[in-house]
Amino acid sequence: VFQKEISGILTGNLGKSYIYAKPVTEVMAPRFRISLLLGVTGMLLTYLVCIPLGIRKAISHGSAFDLTTSVIIFVAYSIPGWALGGVLLVLMGGGSFLDFFPLGGIHSPKEIWDQMTFVQKFIDQVHHMILPIIAWSIGSFATLTVLMKNGLLENLSQDYIRTAFSKGLSEDKVIWSHAIRNSIIPITANIGHIIGVVIAGSYFIERVFNIEGFGKMAFEAVLQRDYPITLGFLVIVVIIRLLGNIISDFSLALVDPRIRFK
């Protein structure tokens, strides 16, 4: 019996849920896909916005643009994601103001969803995902922007940058070919942690937007004492963190010329 129970983890058998009376993997799979979709999409969009924004802020350090965006970023950073989600729903989810976005869910009700074409489903899901992704990403958005800006400012003051300028290289060549590569090292080192956090989901944000995600499932499993789901969630999160750390190591080796795997 002991051997059978232990070998279940290695074969993907995480037990049977007490509440749902289904295998844990069947309960987790659809919820994991939702958190994976929201988390990875939010993370990619955050990187695509934060890195150029941090570069622009560093280049124009002390300008009106830098000061204005810094105020906006730190105000946004001080607001918890779930609280921002509630405010966004009130302002733009058909509350007391505008009616641009749905009040919750990952897509329209099933009876409507099943009748949509592929293109309609894609548009509908993007429409439902906009507010949750904003709330999901707001905390890491400020952190990554500040890391990018401060890293680039620090590198621009280094001796090798002054040497590059003294050789007659253009400003764009020095910044994009030399300074930025070293400036993204701290961001790259943090990517594994961010992957683990965003994929594990956020109970509060999923609760605000009524999304049946991975985090909400785990929290409810703890309250209901559904131990197979709780322990299965722990196994999945540990594996994700390990994979995230491996991704960080390889990403760091790609951008840092001092690190080589031999």
Side-chain angles (χ1 to χ4, degrees):
V1 176
F2 176 79
Q3 184 179 2
K4 182 178 179 181
E5 291 179 352
I6 297 301
S7 63
I9 297 178
L10 302 178
T11 58
N13 180 11
L14 300 178
K16 191 173 184 179
S17 167
Y18 297 159
I19 303 300
Y20 298 96
K22 295 180 180 179
V24 171
T25 51
E26 289 186 14
V27 177
M28 284 185 170
R31 292 165 174 80
F32 181 76
R33 285 196 295 268
I34 291 173
S35 292
L36 182 66
L37 176 64
L38 290 172
V40 172
T41 303
M43 185 184 72
L44 291 176
L45 290 175
T46 300
Y47 272 85
L48 288 174
V49 173
C50 291
I51 292 178
L53 180 59
I55 294 171
R56 173 71 187 279
K57 285 173 62 63
I59 294 174
S60 58
H61 179 62
S63 66
F65 172 81
D66 180 39
L67 296 176
T68 303
T69 52
S70 293
V71 171
I72 295 173
I73 287 171
F74 283 110
V75 169
Y77 181 71
S78 65
I79 303 175
W82 58 268
L84 177 63
V87 172
L88 291 175
L89 285 177
V90 171
L91 293 178
M92 293 183 286
S96 305
F97 298 92
L98 305 175
D99 189 11
F100 288 158
F101 297 99
L103 279 174
I106 194 64
H107 55 66
S108 297
K110 185 173 177 58
E111 56 272 13
I112 300 175
W113 175 260
D114 290 340
Q115 297 177 0
M116 292 181 177
T117 64
F118 175 79
V119 175
Q120 289 174 331
K121 287 182 177 180
F122 177 79
I123 296 173
D124 180 76
Q125 193 153 56
V126 170
H127 189 215
H128 280 76
M129 287 171 57
I130 291 175
L131 295 186
I133 285 177
I134 292 174
W136 212 303
S137 308
I138 195 67
S140 58
F141 183 87
T143 303
L144 290 175
T145 303
V146 172
L147 276 176
M148 186 69 234
K149 177 193 173 182
N150 292 343
L152 184 54
L153 283 176
E154 181 181 354
N155 278 281
L156 288 175
S157 63
Q158 298 297 316
D159 291 337
Y160 75 93
I161 295 295
R162 286 192 287 269
T163 301
F165 276 120
S166 67
K167 290 181 178 180
L169 296 179
S170 65
E171 182 178 0
D172 289 342
K173 178 74 172 178
V174 172
I175 292 175
W176 292 98
S177 298
H178 298 279
I180 288 180
R181 183 174 182 181
N182 290 326
S183 302
I184 63 175
I185 291 175
I187 295 178
T188 306
N190 200 37
I191 191 172
H193 172 72
I194 294 176
I195 289 174
V197 171
V198 299
I199 294 180
S202 171
Y203 165 74
F204 294 106
I205 293 176
E206 290 170 0
R207 183 66 181 270
V208 167
F209 289 98
N210 193 28
I211 296 173
E212 296 297 328
F214 207 48
K216 184 180 179 184
M217 175 208 67
F219 187 81
E220 291 175 348
V222 173
L223 296 181
Q224 296 168 346
R225 298 185 179 181
D226 195 343
Y227 299 122
I229 287 186
T230 304
L231 295 176
F233 174 82
L234 180 62
V235 169
I236 299 299
V237 170
V238 169
I239 293 173
I240 291 172
R241 287 294 180 90
L242 290 174
L243 292 176
N245 289 333
I246 293 173
I247 292 172
S248 288
D249 291 340
F250 279 101
S251 301
L252 200 57
L254 290 176
V255 300
D256 192 341
R258 296 169 298 180
I259 299 176
R260 288 292 178 268
F261 292 120
K262 293 183 179 180

